[in-house]
Amino acid sequence: MASLVPCPHCGARPKEEFTIKGAALARPTPDAGTEAWMDYVYLRDNPRGLYEEYWHHTSGCRRWLVVTRDTATHDIEHSRDVALSQLTDIRP
Amino acid sequence: MSDFRLVSKPALSDRTPIVGKHISLEALPEGHVILVMGKPGAPAAETQPVSLSDGQPNAVRTAGPGQWLVVGDQPRTQKEIEALFTELGADIYGVDQSAGRVRILVHGTMVERVLGKGTSVDLAATSFPVGSATVTLIGHIATHMTRTDVFAFELMVLRGFAESLWDDLLEMCKEFA
Ligand SMILES: [Zn+2]
């Protein structure tokens, strides 16, 4: 696990200041069907390499971030504020 | 009617301050603390909290995007605070936190060394100049930290954590006191 996480508002902070929610996935539409929702709620890919996950800067600015982290090297490539970067957000 | 008298006392009233050549630690008066919440990035929001402040230096401190803490040594009544809130514009709100947060002043030439034991924030005066404020963990306690002078930092914690943070700070100060 990466030990220093870059927060777009606070700079590099130790992981202890954050709460991790898990993979940042595209939310299906309400009528997408049971299978799509089962996937979204329960199934995870566990990829090797870069992937996006939600981090909350709980003991800092208290903003929700999307952090792009490499599961093999633990390097963090990028982090962004979810609400302030709606345009580039992964939600459909 | 309760059987015993309910006495309101400051959270750190039974703690003895440190007064040292290189480091000093003291609890600040429990005056007022007002949290102001606006829309992050809204252009006029920056100037709004100033109307609530008593005009002292560092009375308005940033507390994350679109949030500020307005602090001062003088207590304010509910009425005074409500009157101040009516001056706030649309989409910006104030919450009286005076009873919920406690302020501690750490000052002295060793202050960066002391706080550096508990937080990862770069406290060098070049990257965290006078007037800077942020929220960070000091040990295990989320703390709002403001640099009020070159060798002075004000720490603000939730009331229930004040004694724990104070006791941690005592340990951190020990070698310099
Ligand atoms: Zn942050």
Side-chain angles (χ1 to χ4, degrees):
Chain A
M1 184 64 63
S3 54
L4 279 178
V5 180
C7 170
H9 307 296
C10 308
R13 293 297 180 92
K15 69 172 174 23
E16 285 76 13
E17 288 190 4
F18 296 82
T19 311
I20 311 167
K21 193 204 165 199
L25 303 171
R27 189 184 173 89
T29 55
D31 56 358
T34 311
E35 206 159 299
W37 274 98
M38 281 291 279
D39 259 30
Y40 173 70
V41 175
Y42 296 110
L43 302 180
R44 293 294 177 266
D45 287 340
N46 192 20
R48 180 187 164 83
L50 287 177
Y51 94 124
E52 296 190 317
E53 60 193 357
Y54 286 119
W55 287 59
H56 184 242
H57 197 183
T58 317
S59 302
C61 58
R62 303 201 305 273
R63 302 288 298 185
W64 276 104
L65 313 176
V66 167
V67 172
T68 310
R69 190 171 65 89
D70 192 306
T71 55
T73 64
H74 301 314
D75 287 341
I76 289 177
E77 195 185 74
H78 185 62
S79 76
R80 67 178 199 271
D81 184 298
V82 181
L84 297 182
S85 58
Q86 288 285 342
L87 291 177
T88 53
D89 203 0
I90 37 82
R91 270 182 281 182
Chain B
M1 197 63 187
S2 81
D3 293 338
F4 50 87
R5 265 167 58 93
L6 294 173
V7 183
S8 167
K9 58 166 194 161
L12 296 170
S13 57
D14 61 351
R15 294 297 197 272
T16 319
I18 298 179
V19 184
K21 191 163 167 243
H22 304 295
I23 196 76
S24 296
L25 184 65
E26 62 179 281
L28 291 171
E30 294 188 4
H32 60 272
V33 178
I34 301 168
L35 176 66
V36 181
M37 292 171 290
K39 276 202 174 127
E46 300 282 332
T47 56
Q48 283 284 334
V50 179
S51 68
L52 270 60
S53 87
D54 59 10
Q56 296 297 311
N58 302 308
V60 179
R61 297 143 188 211
T62 55
Q67 296 193 32
W68 297 268
L69 286 158
V70 179
V71 305
D73 289 344
Q74 300 305 320
R76 283 175 164 168
T77 63
Q78 184 69 24
K79 240 193 190 130
E80 287 169 341
I81 287 177
E82 276 168 14
L84 288 170
F85 287 171
T86 59
E87 289 165 31
L88 290 173
D91 286 334
I92 184 156
Y93 303 92
V95 184
D96 177 18
Q97 302 246 308
S98 310
R101 295 187 196 227
V102 171
R103 292 185 297 138
I104 299 171
L105 177 66
V106 201
H107 61 108
T109 47
M110 285 299 163
V111 67
E112 285 176 20
R113 295 271 298 277
V114 167
L115 294 176
K117 295 177 187 180
T119 175
S120 76
V121 175
D122 182 357
L123 299 174
T126 42
S127 51
F128 200 79
V130 175
S132 309
T134 191
V135 181
T136 182
L137 278 184
I138 293 188
H140 292 285
I141 302 172
T143 309
H144 186 270
M145 183 170 69
T146 309
R147 186 180 215 130
T148 53
D149 209 336
V150 183
F151 293 121
F153 286 78
E154 252 188 63
L155 308 176
M156 187 159 26
V157 268
L158 294 176
R159 190 182 180 90
F161 289 116
E163 290 181 318
S164 299
L165 180 64
W166 179 276
D167 295 346
D168 285 351
L169 289 168
L170 276 187
E171 288 295 319
M172 289 151 70
C173 289
K174 218 172 228 171
E175 64 172 305
F176 305 117

